[in-house]
């Protein structure tokens, strides 16, 4: 049995990047031999094992063939006869299809090293088209390595375009798609992920609601960049620049979906886009089964982001409603994430990236004022049930009035 390092670990070492997790491939072994060496099997479908000590993944060299639609439509064949070259050819990109033995001897039959030097993301073989997830993976790698100068090879982009038109993308499971989407959003340049998906027509299939924002104008006075799609990409870029968590980045991507529904005769204004967008945000959320915290924040940011921008002009009663909608008393962190998303939205405008956003501190102060109301004194006064609720609300409103007057 021969064991090689493969995939990301080889690629990133050659790029001089830190290697976090190592994938291994095992040639010339059977499942029984692996088990006898103490490897633990994982996954029902794949011949993949965990190392008894390091816990790293060891996969038996395998070939695969597409036998039907979607990921279920794959048959795998692993046996001691499968060669390293046969295993590598089924991989997505040439730069991911290199292997290295324990002497750091490189096996590179598909010229991954050449493409690393040329800064090209290129598919290994026509078999690329057999798994539509690779469209998302390439877009994710483009986002990750754009800073190093990588681009998608024209012939690979063409293949991605054909895949997007074929209807195969629709067969992806929400779980597989979300894994790629969420990882891509956490890259330093997540907007490149969306740009590449758009360039190959995949965005129109995966998130038509986001795709529809390109070509939709906004008022130049508020949005010098004018285009709503361009704005959305800038907001996402700002979110990454400011190291925001996934929840905020997801909310940033979806916050303006309602603008895609505005009738052309109303352009460049977008009356009530916050409300109109909610059903679209919900649809995208559910399509990818996004985690609950991502879903919630996207809906709240969609509905209230313009409230955030107008924070200093809001009446105390509107401010109170806003805080109640966020349940800021029990969920202070979620309100912080809302504020962050609003700030990224404001910064994601051409030429206004550095402008200060006093709304952020103002909203924080308002939350603190409303949260400072103690319940105990009201209980002592004899309030209970719904009356207690009303009394708390009155006190909070009073606190917010004082806050606004002193601000
Ligand atoms: P990362 O740094 O994101 O982990 P990686 O290249 O190691 O990058 P993994 O998802 O860990 O990516 O996969 C390991 C390797 O397995 C890849 O380098 C690639 O060769 C192969 N691979 C993974 N998923 C696919 C896929 N859907 N189609 C083809 N090859 C794949
Ligand atoms: Mg990996």
């Amino acid at each position: 049995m021969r064991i090689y390092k493969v995939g990301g670990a080889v690629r990133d070492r050659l790029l001089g990047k830190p290697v976090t997790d190592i994938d291994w491939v095992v040639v010339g072994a059977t499942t029984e031999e692996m088990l006898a060496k103490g490897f633990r099997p994982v996954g029902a479908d794949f011949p993949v094992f965990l190392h008894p000590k390091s816990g790293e993944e060891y996969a038996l060299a395998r070939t695969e063939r597409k036998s039907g639609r979607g990921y279920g439509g794959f048959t795998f064949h692993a046996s001691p006869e499968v060669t390293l070259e046969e295993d590598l050819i089924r991989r997505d990109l040439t730069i991911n299809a290199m292997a290295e033995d324990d002497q750091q001897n490189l096996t590179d039959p598909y010229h991954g090293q050449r493409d690393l030097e040329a800064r090209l993301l290129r598919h290994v073989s026509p078999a690329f088209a057999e798994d539509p997830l690779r469209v998302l993976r390439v877009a994710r790698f483009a986002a990750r390595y754009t800073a190093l100068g990588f681009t998608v090879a024209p012939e690979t982009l063409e293949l991605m375009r054909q895949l997007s038109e074929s209807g195969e993308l629709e067969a992806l499971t929400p779980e597989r798609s979300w894994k790629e989407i969420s990882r891509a959003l956490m890259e330093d340049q997540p907007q490149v992920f969306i740009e590449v998906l758009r360039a190959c027509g995949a965005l129109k299939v995966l998130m038509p609601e986001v795709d529809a924002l390109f070509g939709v104008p906004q008022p130049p006075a508020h949005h010098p960049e004018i285009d709503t799609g361009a704005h959305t990409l800038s907001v996402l870029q700002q979110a990454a620049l400011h190291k925001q968590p996934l929840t905020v980045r997801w909310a940033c991507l979806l916050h303006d979906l309602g603008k895609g529904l505005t009738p052309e005769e109303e352009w460049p204004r977008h009356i009530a886009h916050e409300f109109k967008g909610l059903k679209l945000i919900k649809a995208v959320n559910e399509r990818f089964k996004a985690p609950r915290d991502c879903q919630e924040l996207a809906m709240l940011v969609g509905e209230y982001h313009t409230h955030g921008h107008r924070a200093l002009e809001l009446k105390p009663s509107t401010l109170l409603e806003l805080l109640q909608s966020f349940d800021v008393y029990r969920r202070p962190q979620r309100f912080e994430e809302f504020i962050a998303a609003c700030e990224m939205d404001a910064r994601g405008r051409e030429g206004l990236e550095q402008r200060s956003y006093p709304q952020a501190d103002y909203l924080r102060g308002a939350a603190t004022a409303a949260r400072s109301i103690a319940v105990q004194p009201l209980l002592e006064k004899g309030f209970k049930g719904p009356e207690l609720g009303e009394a708390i609300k009155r006190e909070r409103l009073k606190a917010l009035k004082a806050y606004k007057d002193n601000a």
Side-chain angles (χ1 to χ4, degrees), residues 8-26:
V10 180
R11 177 197 67 220
D12 288 338
R13 185 185 70 75
L14 292 171
L15 280 173
K17 292 222 144 200
V19 172
T20 43
D21 78 323
I22 304 180
D23 299 294
W24 305 87
V25 69
V26 184

Side-chain angles (χ1 to χ4, degrees), residues 7-8 11-12 21 23 90-92 96 131 133-134 137 140-141 144 176 183:
R11 177 197 67 220
D12 288 338
D21 78 323
D23 299 294
R90 67 167 177 87
R91 292 172 183 268
D92 46 9
N96 290 342
D131 179 8
L133 191 74
R134 293 168 190 160
R137 286 179 59 88
R140 173 164 72 80
F141 285 115
R144 184 187 297 175
R176 291 188 84 212
R183 291 180 76 187

Side-chain angles (χ1 to χ4, degrees), residues 74 100 133 178 184 201 225 246 294 334 359 370:
F74 258 114
E100 199 175 82
L133 191 74
W178 177 256
E225 74 286 349
L246 179 62
C294 287
R334 186 171 63 177
Q359 290 93 327

Side-chain angles (χ1 to χ4, degrees), residues 21 64 194 240 263 307 361 387:
D21 78 323
E64 56 192 26
I194 303 294
H307 275 64
D361 275 341
E387 284 179 5

Side-chain angles (χ1 to χ4, degrees), residues 98-210:
M98 297 181 276
E100 199 175 82
D101 65 16
D102 56 5
Q103 310 292 317
Q104 289 200 349
N105 294 312
L106 202 64
T107 303
D108 181 18
Y110 310 109
H111 308 296
Q113 224 179 353
R114 190 183 64 195
D115 287 337
L116 271 185
E117 273 152 32
R119 301 297 198 231
L120 277 176
L121 303 170
R122 190 202 305 275
H123 65 284
V124 177
S125 86
F128 180 91
E130 294 182 359
D131 179 8
L133 191 74
R134 293 168 190 160
V135 173
L136 283 84
R137 286 179 59 88
V138 174
R140 173 164 72 80
F141 285 115
R144 184 187 297 175
Y145 295 120
T146 185
L148 298 178
F150 277 83
T151 56
V152 181
E155 63 271 30
T156 301
L157 198 66
E158 180 53 34
L159 203 52
M160 290 160 71
R161 183 175 299 125
Q162 288 168 19
L163 255 169
S164 303
E165 279 168 15
S166 71
E168 278 285 328
L169 284 177
E170 280 125 277
L172 287 172
T173 62
E175 290 78 11
R176 291 188 84 212
S177 299
W178 177 256
K179 200 169 157 219
E180 293 300 327
I181 293 168
S182 56
R183 291 180 76 187
L185 290 179
M186 290 314 290
E187 296 290 349
D188 285 345
Q189 309 270 3
Q191 78 284 0
V192 173
F193 174 69
I194 303 294
E195 281 168 344
V196 170
L197 291 180
R198 179 163 176 257
C200 69
L203 191 62
K204 206 185 317 182
V205 180
L206 296 168
M207 300 185 202
E209 302 87 348
V210 176

Side-chain angles (χ1 to χ4, degrees), residues 217-327:
Q218 307 167 101
H222 287 108
H223 285 282
E225 74 286 349
I226 300 179
D227 188 83
T228 310
H231 164 61
T232 298
L233 295 182
S234 300
V235 178
L236 202 49
Q237 188 173 16
Q238 287 298 318
L241 217 57
H242 290 266
K243 306 278 177 225
Q244 297 297 341
L246 179 62
T247 45
V248 174
R249 297 182 191 207
W250 182 241
C252 284
L253 177 64
L254 305 184
H255 79 286
D256 264 349
L257 292 189
K259 290 182 178 172
L261 295 176
T262 311
E264 271 190 54
E265 55 274 18
E266 289 177 23
W267 286 358
R269 300 222 298 150
H270 297 281
I271 304 150
H273 73 274
E274 305 87 342
F275 277 108
K276 291 186 199 158
L278 290 179
K279 60 175 187 291
L280 302 185
I281 298 173
K282 185 162 184 280
V284 181
N285 270 338
E286 287 172 359
R287 186 173 315 139
F288 299 109
K289 294 192 185 159
R292 181 198 276 271
D293 55 350
C294 287
Q295 294 208 16
E296 272 183 9
L297 191 70
M299 291 294 281
L300 286 163
V301 169
E303 184 166 355
Y304 294 111
H305 61 279
T306 42
H307 275 64
H309 301 327
R310 288 188 287 108
L312 280 83
E313 294 104 70
L314 295 180
K315 291 184 296 186
S317 57
T318 314
L319 209 44
L320 180 61
E321 280 166 35
L322 179 70
L323 296 172
Q324 308 276 54
S325 304
F326 277 85
D327 191 8

